[in-house]
């Protein structure tokens, strides 16, 4: 089932790229494995997918210990400062940086280990009150501040669009994310890349790709519904 799902998602990615005149190699599929047992990741690995997304530090670390070391782990959930130290040497990309205080903590922990943290800035494009992330207007300033940190490389932007049954309602947010990314890129800020645009989930990844996503985070569409009661 998992392998069939991955195949279907990959075909949808391919189609969305064709529709948008993009090269599918520009788009990385992140299989969001949060709440799912590591045995399901072992199954998914047979497809060749090596990027996995988790939203809890402890769960990511447990899976990191058990599973093959060539997996690239993506921290996609809200990150508490006291958990940052556990990510050093394990997270390939932290998608959810949305404050200078969190960035300071990342700088401190990665400096101690003499490592570089790759991060994305989380933007709450729809300005939903329930969501983390900064507003589009605050983004350039935060990026300029974080760009001063020697142990952090900003690689791009991430957004979580509103939950919707109709992906078209999110197209405008994805368009605005792409615009913001191009705008910040044009400022040529030292130490800052805008090569990654992490947007699109099970309900809307095709639309996100049409609007420029370079990473899509798909959970339910690969591993099935999550049960938070177990
Ligand atoms: C859970 C989660 C996803 C995956 O959501 P699905 O709708 O199951 O694809 C993607 N991104 C983030 C940040 C998440 O927390």
């Amino acid at each position: 089932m998992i392998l069939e799902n991955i195949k279907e998602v990959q075909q949808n990615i391919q189609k969305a790229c064709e529709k948008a005149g993009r090269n599918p190699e520009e788009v990385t599929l992140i299989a969001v494995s949060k709440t799912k047992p590591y045995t399901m990741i072992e199954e998914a690995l047979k497809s060749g997918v090596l990027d996995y997304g988790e939203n809890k530090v402890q769960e990511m670390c447990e899976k990191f210990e058990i599973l093959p070391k060539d997996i690239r782990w993506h921290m996609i959930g809200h990150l508490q400062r006291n958990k940052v130290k556990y990510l050093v040497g394990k997270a390939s990309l932290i998608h959810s940086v949305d404050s200078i205080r969190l960035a300071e903590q990342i700088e401190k922990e990665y400096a101690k280990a003499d490592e570089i943290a790759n991060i994305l800035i989380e933007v709450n494009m729809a300005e939903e009150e329930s969501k983390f992330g900064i507003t589009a207007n605050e983004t350039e300033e935060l990026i300029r501040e974080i760009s001063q940190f020697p142990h952090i490389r900003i690689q791009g932007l991430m957004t979580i669009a509103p939950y919707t049954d109709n992906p078209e309602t999110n197209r405008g947010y994805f368009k605005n994310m792409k615009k913001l990314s191009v705008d910040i890129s044009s400022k040529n800020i030292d130490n800052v890349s805008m090569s990654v645009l992490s947007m699109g989930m099970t309900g809307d990844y095709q639309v996100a790709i049409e609007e420029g996503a370079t990473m899509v985070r798909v959970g339910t569409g690969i591993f099935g519904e999550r049960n938070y009661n177990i």
Side-chain angles (χ1 to χ4, degrees), residues 96-112:
S96 46
V97 178
D98 64 355
S99 74
I100 192 70
R101 290 181 75 224
L102 176 58
E104 279 166 357
Q105 188 69 25
I106 294 173
E107 170 61 27
K108 191 173 132 197
E109 295 297 342
Y110 278 74
K112 259 194 236 168

Side-chain angles (χ1 to χ4, degrees), residues 30 32 34 54-55 76-78 95 122 158-160 163 198 200-203 205 216-222 224-226 228:
I30 300 173
V32 176
K34 64 188 188 197
E54 291 286 337
N55 69 340
I76 61 176
H78 179 64
H95 290 231
E122 181 173 352
M158 179 270 228
T159 197
I160 305 174
Y163 180 80
S198 168
M201 311 185 2
T202 296
Y205 64 93
V216 292
R217 311 177 306 264
V218 179
T220 311
I222 291 175
E225 296 284 340
R226 285 176 293 275
Y228 287 99

